[in-house]
């Protein structure tokens, strides 16, 4: 979930702002209805109104949408924007829209369940002849020469100067990718397309592909970069790739290898890269085989960087027979009392009477019940 600070940084991303404004201008008419999916604090909803859209539905689950309401009021668009704070998959709109706009990415287009959210919104909310913006993202991959990025990725604590052996941490960090804004000279191979996300024809949320990259110089290689070029409408878009005079807020993803590798011009790195949606987030796996003057291989996955206990994994096994723990019992009791007939005050007092050790004080109990009410009640 983005914070207000994150959204404010996006407001200052002139490259993205100019591209999206130009694209919206090319499709909006005075009769247009627009869905701003993942509206956040509402920048593009405001722009759509400024360009003449007669109606905008702005959907986002975060509280930043309240800022959007204030901005709409300040700019005179409050009567044209309907703000909906919810998961779009739980929302019903009174009409289908002419334009469905989405920008729910991060440094890479794979963020939580965003692909499924986009596909659902298109199927339920967009007219058959409507416009889906952006239309596609093309992801590029290239070998990386970047000692400083590698050091920050693998051993970000190097400057602590305490002389401690933190090898176990380094091993975990080698299985994480990191946002990065590299310079062109830090690419040591030609880039190739890893995949293209055509948002109008999404087929599931998992992507994998194997790409072979040829090193173009004698050098030390530290991993690879992955970035996307966005096509919002034909002829209008932007790139998060290296070497842009005005980089976007996103940049690239840097995927380190476990150790740097000395490669010669013509050496090959075969990279199998996979993005798998697990629960509500992506697990990235990258398997690398290097051949030529040196032969080595790595198998890495963000799963190996997760701090997960064996007891947690056991509870996810298909054969596990779950039984509620104490916290589950308390939450179940509170939720069962939310039957549309009791106030939060009444529910709180009933919980205090039933579980006095867990709920000894009214204010703490009310906060507990209020959190559940906010998440689960109508």
């Amino acid at each position: 979930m983005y914070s207000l600070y994150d959204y404010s940084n996006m407001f200052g991303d002139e490259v993205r702002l100019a591209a999206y404004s130009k694209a919206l201008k090319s499709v909006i008419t005075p009769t247009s209805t627009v869905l701003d999916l993942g509206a956040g604090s509402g920048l593009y909803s405001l722009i759509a109104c400024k360009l003449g859209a007669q109606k905008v539905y702005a959907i986002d689950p975060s509280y930043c949408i309240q800022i959007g309401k204030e901005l709409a009021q300040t700019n005179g668009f409050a009567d044209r924007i309907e703000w909906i704070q919810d998961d779009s998959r739980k929302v019903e709109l009174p009409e289908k829209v002419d334009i469905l706009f989405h920008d729910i990415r991060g440094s890479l287009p794979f963020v939580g369940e965003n692909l499924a959210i986009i596909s659902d919104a298109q199927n339920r909310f967009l007219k058959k002849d409507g416009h889906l913006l952006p239309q596609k993202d093309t992801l590029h991959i290239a070998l990386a020469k970047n000692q400083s990025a590698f050091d920050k990725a693998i051993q970000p604590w190097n400057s602590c100067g305490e002389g401690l052996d933190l090898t176990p941490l380094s091993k975990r960090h080698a299985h994480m990718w990191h946002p990065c804004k590299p310079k062109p000279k830090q690419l040591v191979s030609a880039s190739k397309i890893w995949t293209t996300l055509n948002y109008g024809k999404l087929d599931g949320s998992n992507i994998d592909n194997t790409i072979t990259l040829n090193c173009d110089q004698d050098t030390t290689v530290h991993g690879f970069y992955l970035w996307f070029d966005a096509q919002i409408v034909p002829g209008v878009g932007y790139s998060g790739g290296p070497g842009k005079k005005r980089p976007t807020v996103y940049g690239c993803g840097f995927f380190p290898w476990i150790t740097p590798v000395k490669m010669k011009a013509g050496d090959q790195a075969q990279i199998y890269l996979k993005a798998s949606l697990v629960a509500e987030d992506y697990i990235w796996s990258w398997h690398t085989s290097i051949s030529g003057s040196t032969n080595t291989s790595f198998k890495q996955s963000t799963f190996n960087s997760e701090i997960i206990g064996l007891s947690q994994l056991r509870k996810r096994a298909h054969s596990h027979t779950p039984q509620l723990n104490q916290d589950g019992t308390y939450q179940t009791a509170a939720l069962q009392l939310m039957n549309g007939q009791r106030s939060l005050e009444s529910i709180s007092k009933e919980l205090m009477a039933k579980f006095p050790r867990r709920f000894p004080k009214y204010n703490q109990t009310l906060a507990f019940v209020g959190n559940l009410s906010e998440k689960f009640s109508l």
Side-chain angles (χ1 to χ4, degrees):
M1 193 77 71
Y2 290 122
S3 68
L4 178 59
Y5 181 81
D6 295 324
Y7 285 119
S8 297
N9 278 340
M10 292 177 192
F11 277 34
D13 188 341
E14 296 179 2
V15 174
R16 291 169 59 252
L17 178 60
Y20 283 125
S21 296
K22 184 176 181 180
L24 286 169
K25 187 175 183 179
S26 72
V27 296
I28 286 179
T29 70
T31 61
S32 293
T33 53
V34 179
L35 169 56
D36 186 354
L37 183 66
S41 50
L43 174 61
Y44 295 111
S45 295
L46 302 177
I47 291 173
C49 287
K50 186 177 180 180
L51 292 172
Q54 69 170 357
K55 178 72 174 182
V56 177
Y57 298 96
I59 303 178
D60 197 286
S62 82
Y63 283 106
C64 276
I65 209 166
Q66 303 302 322
I67 300 297
K69 292 181 179 180
E70 293 181 30
L71 293 172
Q73 185 71 42
T74 300
N75 288 276
F77 302 138
D79 61 330
R80 283 194 276 160
I81 305 177
E82 182 174 336
W83 302 92
I84 305 170
Q85 186 181 340
D86 208 342
D87 183 326
S88 63
R89 291 168 293 184
K90 302 177 184 178
V91 172
E92 297 291 339
L93 295 181
E95 60 181 328
K96 288 187 177 289
V97 299
D98 302 296
I99 300 163
L100 195 167
F101 172 86
H102 62 91
D103 183 19
I104 47 177
R105 315 179 188 87
S107 296
L108 298 173
F110 302 90
V111 177
E113 299 177 275
N114 66 330
L115 299 186
I117 290 170
I118 293 167
S119 183
D120 171 77
Q122 179 193 0
N123 292 334
R124 295 196 298 122
F125 301 139
L126 185 63
K127 293 178 180 178
K128 288 186 177 180
D129 59 348
H131 300 279
L132 178 65
L133 279 65
Q135 295 177 339
K136 67 179 181 180
D137 288 334
T138 302
L139 285 91
H140 303 265
I141 186 172
L143 294 179
K145 175 186 178 181
N146 195 329
Q147 183 69 55
S148 62
F150 182 85
D151 291 341
K152 289 178 182 178
I154 304 300
Q155 295 181 319
W157 53 83
N158 266 349
S159 60
C160 75
E162 297 297 331
L164 300 172
D165 184 354
L166 302 178
T167 302
L169 276 178
S170 296
K171 290 180 179 179
R172 287 186 180 273
H173 276 259
H175 295 275
M176 300 166 64
W177 69 271
H178 304 265
C180 184
K181 294 183 180 179
K183 299 175 182 178
K185 65 180 181 181
Q186 293 171 323
L187 272 67
V188 291
S189 76
S191 65
K192 290 188 177 180
I193 294 175
W194 174 59
T195 194
T196 297
L197 295 175
N198 185 334
Y199 288 109
K201 300 177 182 179
L202 289 174
D203 183 20
S205 298
N206 300 335
I207 303 290
D208 70 287
N209 198 9
T210 300
I211 300 295
T212 298
L213 300 172
N214 295 319
C215 187
D216 60 18
Q217 58 188 268
D218 296 354
T219 190
T220 299
V221 184
H222 299 92
F224 59 89
Y225 299 120
L226 186 69
W227 68 90
F228 69 90
D229 290 350
Q231 176 182 301
I232 309 173
V233 295
V236 180
Y238 63 91
S239 174
K244 304 303 175 185
K245 292 182 179 179
R246 298 161 62 195
T248 70
V249 70
Y250 292 140
C252 304
F254 171 60
F255 290 72
W257 289 338
I258 293 175
T259 61
V261 179
K262 291 184 177 180
M263 298 179 68
K264 292 185 177 296
D267 287 356
Q268 291 188 333
Q270 186 181 77
I271 301 170
Y272 170 73
L273 179 62
K274 182 177 183 180
S276 303
L277 183 63
V278 178
E280 297 179 353
D281 206 354
Y282 274 89
I283 296 293
W284 286 87
S285 301
W286 58 106
H287 301 171
T288 307
S289 296
I290 300 168
S291 59
S293 63
T294 185
N295 294 284
T296 189
S297 61
F298 307 113
K299 287 190 175 183
Q300 295 161 268
S301 172
T302 54
F303 177 80
N304 294 326
S305 70
E306 299 290 336
I307 304 174
I308 301 175
L310 292 177
S311 61
Q312 290 175 271
L313 293 176
R314 177 180 61 81
K315 291 177 183 179
R316 287 180 172 270
H318 67 90
S319 58
H320 177 61
T321 303
Q323 181 178 356
L324 284 180
N325 59 21
Q326 282 293 92
D327 285 341
T329 300
Y330 302 142
Q331 290 194 27
T332 299
L335 291 171
Q336 288 175 341
L337 293 171
M338 294 182 187
N339 56 8
Q341 299 176 9
R342 294 177 172 86
S343 67
L344 294 186
E345 178 184 15
S346 172
I347 294 171
S348 298
K349 290 180 177 179
E350 195 160 339
L351 288 177
M352 291 174 69
K354 189 173 183 179
F355 307 107
R357 292 184 62 185
R358 171 63 179 83
F359 301 109
K361 296 182 179 181
Y362 173 73
N363 286 342
Q364 293 176 348
T365 308
L366 183 61
F368 173 83
V369 174
N371 287 337
L372 292 178
S373 175
E374 180 183 327
K375 187 173 183 179
F376 296 111
S377 72
L378 298 175

